[in-house]
Amino acid sequence: MTPNRPLILAVVDDDDDVRIALSRLLRAMGHAVRLFASAEEFETGNPPVDCVIADVRLPGLSGLELRERLRKTNDSPPVVLITGDGDRLARDFRNALDSPVLTKPFDAAVLAEAIASAMSMTPLQRERHAH
Amino acid sequence: MPTDDLYRRAAVAGGVGVWDWNLETGEIHVDPFIKEILGFADHEIRDHADDWRELLHPDDRALAVERVEAYLRGATPSYDNEYRMRHRDGSYRWFQSRGAVSRNEQGAIVRLAGTVVDVTERKRNDEALRQAQELNRRIVDCTGDCVKILDLEGRLLYINPIGLRLMEIPDVSDLLNRSLAGFFQGEMREAAERAIASAGRGGAGRFHYSMRSASGATKWFDAVVTPITDANAEVVQLLVISRDITDKRREDAFRAGQHRVLEMIATATPLPAVLDSLVLLVESQSDGMFCTVLLLDEDGVTARHGAAPSLPAEYVQAINGLLIGPNAGSCGTAMYLGQRVIVTDILSDPLWENYREVARKFGLRACWSMPIFSPRRKVLGSFAMYYTEPREPEDGELQLIETAADIARIAIEQQRSYQEADAQRRQLAHLNRVATLGELSGALAHELSQPLTAVLTNAQAARHFLNRQPLEIDQIRGAVEDIIKNDKRAGAVIDRLRALLRKEEISRQPVDVSDVVRDVIDLAVGELTSRRINVKSALAPVIPSVLGDRIQLQQVVLNLVLNACDAMNTTDTGDRVLVLATRADDGFVELTVSDRGPGIPDGQLERVFEPFVTFREQGLGLGLAISRSIVAAHGGSIHAENNAGGGATFRCLLPIAGARSFKQAV
């Protein structure tokens, strides 16, 4: 379900076109969006956000690694992973299933649902998924 | 007579005998010492001229008697005779006899007296000398070499008949007393002068020279100059022996030329260039000879122009496409019959009925043609020699035509095998592209997913904006423009994909290798990113073009890049550095691809280029084999080496377009 209240969302993707398009869509959906071209950039900014939408394949730290690092801090935002290579992700990162993973290209409704789903998981639930 | 006795002893010591002949009585007193020489005791020969005459050699008798009579009748001023006399053992010894007459008071001749000397030894020496001279003369006259004698100034004193014949000069007086070196010019003259001077100092000299004989043919000689010395070892004259090396030079040149043509064949020089060189080589063996090569079509009846670099284009045109048959000129008939056809006069030979006019137009009178056979006796074409006068072939010429046909066969066969190999290579390259495509599919999916994501996301954003009031036109316009942009971006990815998959003939276009590397980096950027590979490129911004197929070269670079990526699978992520570099060097563009993987195992640096040899878990092991064949087809080379600091480097050299190619070298 799409959360009713406006959220602050972070988009971490190195592809300019994808990043801007997501920003446009999420803002059209009524959310505030912060854009980052890499996981490092996101960590440096360390913005208070409700959810992070991160590409898996990033220069430097991958989206997956970013998710792992966020998971280790308290009150960390949930992560929605997006990827251009679903097969590879499924093969390589089976243990990433506690975060929603979207294969590009994805529908706006699917994205909204993934965000809602990620946010509905309590930290405990996420912890359980990870083991 | 003590005095007489003294004379006699002195005479005997000198080997001289005294004689005294009474012409009135025929009585003759000869020193017993002479009788001893002949093996007789004093009493065994009567002191009478008749006995002595008996001892004369039958061949000498008449002449010896005549000499006596001539002197006595005053026809010769002195008496000097030479003859052989028989020894007791039957052998003969030579004597020289000299004497003078005595007269009585009335002035009449009464006696002839004088000395006789045994000259057998001298005669033997004379004969040996005469024989030696005869031998020399025969050697000088009969040798195939030109023998000359020069004075110390290098002027010609003598030339043997062979020498005159070789020079084709009928009158020796045109040559005598002229400086030998003066016949030559430039370097040849200097070489001759050096050799003559060296022999003049007692050494030996050698030089090569060429002369145009009176008939206009150039002949080459190898001349050795040696000193002729007198008894005191003083150099008095010079001996020059020149050997005609024209044939040897021609053979050497032919062998060298043959070697060059074979080399052209081995280096995959295009067939027309090889056949042209072959024809020119054969033509250089004889003045006024023209050669052609015709190639028989796959249809087995149509003969096509192969090579005829010295014949007019119009003639070549007239012959091109002729149908072989039982009377289709020399070549058409030779190919039809599968045997050599010798036409000594085109104007009268029935085989030439249909081609007589065109041959006449260009003055071609004789044509000998040899079919070119494959090893399975299939006729591949023909090699022909033409002359502008009616002519019958000599053995050497028939041999030459066979050799030429044989080389042509090698060239034609080699070309066919290259063509087959080329087709195979293209097929393999296509397969490899497909295989590579499989490896790349993940990367390509990613490449495509990005613009598709942007398109869909922008479209959905636009729809959201359309549903909102008031309309945010700028947002909608931005979304639509990004949709267009990203659609094009996806199209470009598909274009690259198509280019990769295209199975096409090799094109030969100027290609910038640095651009090729950039293309490949663009294509593989997704793959490189996902594998955490840090690409460092050191690409020469301005680099000479190589002549080749851009897509194939991309293929090579892509293979090398993907191999390097695979090699670094186990390398620490921070250390995964791929270095791509290009530079121009000495007629070549050098491309290097270096990784920081484990390197190539000992002794495997060459093996990695063999098909189906791979050190990776995935892949067919064809990539490097195909890369090498592609590079070789571009006239280049590719090698692997291990880096001093770990990892491997693949070094690829491609010849710069327009740089000295093999064809230009010959």
Side-chain angles (χ1 to χ4, degrees):
Chain A
M1 288 304 296
T2 308
N4 291 327
R5 65 184 177 90
L7 301 170
I8 304 175
L9 300 170
V11 173
V12 185
D13 197 310
D14 62 325
D15 191 295
D16 295 351
D17 291 343
V18 172
R19 204 167 58 241
I20 290 163
L22 281 173
S23 155
R24 194 173 276 136
L25 175 66
L26 293 168
R27 281 189 289 114
M29 290 160 75
H31 304 299
V33 185
R34 312 284 304 270
L35 301 178
F36 303 94
S38 70
E40 288 84 349
E41 219 175 274
F42 172 82
E43 286 192 324
T44 309
N46 194 19
V49 295
D50 295 311
C51 185
V52 178
I53 298 151
D55 192 18
V56 170
R57 179 187 288 181
L58 290 169
L61 275 183
S62 72
L64 213 63
E65 283 162 328
L66 176 64
R67 187 194 65 98
E68 288 301 308
R69 289 162 74 127
L70 287 174
R71 212 164 54 80
K72 286 177 184 142
T73 54
N74 288 332
D75 278 343
S76 62
V79 176
V80 172
L81 290 172
I82 56 176
T83 177
D85 187 355
D87 285 352
R88 191 180 282 265
L89 191 82
R91 191 174 69 222
D92 296 349
F93 310 114
R94 290 181 210 285
N95 66 345
L97 294 175
D98 65 327
S99 294
V101 179
L102 305 184
T103 300
K104 291 178 181 175
F106 43 78
D107 192 85
V110 174
L111 176 62
E113 200 156 326
I115 293 168
S117 153
M119 289 186 62
S120 69
M121 280 193 233
T122 62
L124 194 67
Q125 279 176 307
R126 277 183 247 151
E127 197 65 26
R128 197 175 320 117
H129 265 280
H131 290 100
Chain B
M1 281 197 307
T3 320
D4 273 2
D5 193 47
L6 185 68
Y7 279 139
R8 185 180 169 270
R9 272 188 293 157
V12 169
V16 180
V18 178
W19 53 268
D20 185 357
W21 183 7
N22 185 327
L23 296 169
E24 289 171 333
T25 64
E27 203 177 349
I28 186 164
H29 289 279
V30 181
D31 201 308
F33 154 68
I34 295 298
K35 295 181 183 171
E36 270 172 48
I37 289 175
L38 291 171
F40 293 102
D42 190 18
H43 69 273
E44 285 179 301
I45 301 175
R46 286 186 305 138
D47 289 335
H48 195 277
D50 289 349
D51 275 24
W52 288 98
R53 195 174 288 119
E54 277 304 303
L55 291 173
L56 281 169
H57 191 290
D59 291 352
D60 298 347
R61 198 172 292 150
L63 185 61
V65 169
E66 163 58 21
R67 281 195 189 121
V68 172
E69 285 170 359
Y71 172 64
L72 291 180
R73 68 172 182 265
T76 50
S78 62
Y79 174 68
D80 191 342
N81 212 343
E82 260 190 8
Y83 44 77
R84 282 165 288 180
M85 284 198 288
R86 192 175 68 245
H87 189 274
R88 188 190 189 103
D89 67 10
S91 68
Y92 285 88
R93 296 191 70 84
W94 276 96
F95 292 89
Q96 182 182 40
S97 179
R98 287 187 176 128
V101 290
S102 315
R103 296 168 192 268
N104 59 16
E105 292 77 10
Q106 288 76 41
I109 295 168
V110 289
R111 288 165 66 172
L112 181 60
T115 56
V116 60
V117 188
D118 180 357
V119 293
T120 308
E121 281 311 303
R122 200 201 77 208
K123 273 289 188 185
R124 268 190 201 138
N125 290 341
D126 284 357
E127 176 58 18
L129 188 63
R130 193 197 61 75
Q131 279 182 11
Q133 281 170 341
E134 168 73 8
L135 184 65
N136 277 344
R137 196 178 59 77
R138 281 185 184 273
I139 289 173
V140 167
D141 285 357
C142 301
T143 174
D145 297 341
C146 167
V147 179
K148 303 183 196 78
I149 294 174
L150 311 182
D151 65 15
L152 293 178
E153 308 298 316
R155 286 183 296 247
L156 188 67
L157 300 179
Y158 168 81
I159 180 166
N160 67 344
I162 293 289
L164 277 180
R165 212 158 46 240
L166 287 174
M167 307 282 298
E168 296 174 27
I169 291 173
D171 190 357
V172 72
S173 60
D174 291 347
L175 294 174
L176 290 186
N177 291 314
R178 285 176 61 184
S179 153
L180 180 65
F183 285 101
F184 314 118
Q185 260 131 45
E187 279 177 28
M188 233 177 253
R189 181 182 194 140
E190 286 166 26
E193 282 168 350
R194 269 197 304 278
I196 288 166
S198 165
R201 291 190 299 269
R206 189 170 203 158
F207 65 100
H208 282 191
Y209 63 90
S210 66
M211 296 211 93
R212 247 185 140 66
S213 68
S215 70
T218 299
K219 293 191 174 213
W220 280 91
F221 295 91
D222 171 33
V224 177
V225 192
T226 48
I228 302 172
T229 54
D230 65 8
N232 301 320
E234 292 285 330
V235 179
V236 289
Q237 288 177 334
L238 306 175
L239 177 68
V240 185
I241 298 180
S242 309
R243 178 154 293 182
D244 184 347
I245 53 166
T246 313
D247 288 348
K248 187 181 172 302
R249 269 180 69 97
R250 186 178 287 161
E251 280 162 24
D252 287 352
F254 185 72
R255 256 197 299 279
Q258 204 175 338
H259 186 77
R260 272 200 307 278
V261 172
L262 290 173
E263 218 167 56
M264 290 173 82
I265 295 171
T267 52
T269 308
L271 186 62
V274 175
L275 294 180
D276 273 0
S277 294
L278 173 63
V279 164
L280 292 174
L281 173 65
V282 173
E283 287 175 346
S284 75
Q285 294 297 295
S286 177
D287 293 330
M289 180 224 286
F290 302 96
C291 300
T292 59
V293 178
L294 290 179
L295 300 172
L296 191 59
D297 260 6
E298 283 298 322
D299 67 8
V301 290
T302 316
R304 300 277 172 203
H305 164 65
S310 307
L311 283 175
E314 195 185 332
Y315 183 75
V316 171
Q317 207 68 45
I319 297 299
N320 190 21
L322 76 85
L323 297 179
I324 67 171
N327 57 349
S330 300
C331 296
T333 311
M335 283 186 268
Y336 176 79
L337 298 176
Q339 65 187 44
R340 195 171 65 200
V341 170
I342 305 292
V343 169
T344 53
D345 191 353
I346 288 173
L347 292 193
S348 60
D349 199 298
L351 292 184
W352 276 79
E353 208 181 313
N354 297 325
Y355 300 95
R356 214 185 309 282
E357 280 323 303
V358 65
R360 189 209 301 275
K361 184 171 175 188
F362 295 103
L364 301 171
R365 285 298 295 275
C367 179
W368 319 323
S369 185
M370 175 83 195
I372 302 167
F373 292 109
S374 77
R376 288 189 204 142
R377 293 289 291 178
K378 191 180 155 218
V379 175
L380 302 172
S382 66
F383 190 100
M385 288 180 178
Y386 286 85
Y387 282 90
T388 50
E389 70 239 36
R391 221 180 127 154
E392 244 176 272
E394 293 163 12
D395 283 353
E397 288 165 326
L398 289 179
Q399 241 166 34
L400 184 59
I401 204 169
E402 270 180 35
T403 306
D406 207 39
I407 297 174
R409 166 186 67 79
I410 297 170
I412 296 166
E413 291 224 295
Q414 195 70 3
Q415 178 194 254
R416 295 198 173 159
S417 77
Y418 272 125
Q419 279 170 348
E420 278 167 27
D422 210 43
Q424 237 167 27
R425 193 173 48 71
R426 272 202 300 278
Q427 189 66 32
L428 263 181
H430 173 66
L431 276 178
N432 179 57
R433 277 202 287 274
V434 173
T436 312
L437 192 72
E439 292 176 34
L440 266 182
S441 63
L444 284 163
H446 186 259
E447 282 281 283
L448 272 176
S449 74
Q450 301 290 41
L452 290 179
T453 303
V455 167
L456 182 59
T457 306
N458 275 308
Q460 289 181 326
R463 193 168 62 191
H464 272 281
F465 283 120
L466 284 171
N467 289 337
R468 280 162 61 144
Q469 285 299 335
L471 277 181
E472 289 178 64
I473 291 298
D474 285 349
Q475 287 294 338
I476 295 168
R477 184 177 292 122
V480 170
E481 275 171 8
D482 276 1
I483 288 168
I484 295 166
K485 176 184 164 196
N486 277 279
D487 194 273
K488 286 182 178 165
R489 183 178 156 194
V493 172
I494 289 167
D495 281 346
R496 287 213 295 273
L497 187 67
R498 276 211 193 100
L500 198 64
L501 270 174
R502 205 174 307 142
K503 179 181 164 189
E504 59 194 332
E505 299 290 308
I506 310 172
S507 65
R508 287 273 182 263
Q509 305 284 330
V511 177
D512 181 318
V513 176
S514 292
D515 271 355
V516 169
V517 174
R518 285 184 204 106
D519 288 347
V520 171
I521 296 175
D522 280 354
L523 192 68
V525 68
E527 186 77 11
L528 293 166
T529 309
S530 76
R531 294 182 178 218
R532 304 294 184 77
I533 285 162
N534 182 6
V535 179
K536 291 192 172 162
S537 53
L539 304 178
V542 179
I543 195 159
S545 295
V546 303
L547 215 53
D549 185 310
R550 189 186 186 97
I551 299 293
Q552 286 204 340
L553 292 175
Q554 281 178 359
Q555 194 61 34
V556 171
V557 179
L558 186 59
N559 266 319
L560 295 178
V561 166
L562 292 176
N563 274 338
C565 291
D566 286 344
M568 290 192 283
N569 272 345
T570 55
T571 307
D572 286 346
T573 48
D575 203 24
R576 292 182 188 171
V577 180
L578 171 69
V579 183
L580 290 155
T582 56
R583 68 189 185 100
D585 180 32
D586 193 27
F588 284 87
V589 167
E590 185 191 70
L591 159 76
T592 50
V593 179
S594 305
D595 63 56
R596 298 224 183 131
I600 296 165
D602 274 353
Q604 306 290 329
L605 286 175
E606 273 302 300
R607 271 204 74 214
V608 295
F609 292 102
E610 290 172 22
F612 307 111
V613 172
T614 179
F615 300 108
R616 295 185 288 159
E617 285 169 22
Q618 294 150 334
L620 285 172
L622 279 174
L624 286 173
I626 289 162
S627 293
R628 176 168 268 187
S629 75
I630 291 173
V631 170
H634 284 76
S637 61
I638 183 167
H639 294 283
E641 58 203 52
N642 283 318
N643 305 328
T649 293
F650 284 81
R651 193 176 299 278
C652 171
L653 291 173
L654 292 162
I656 289 170
R660 202 183 75 111
S661 71
F662 177 79
K663 197 183 156 191
Q664 285 159 321
V666 290

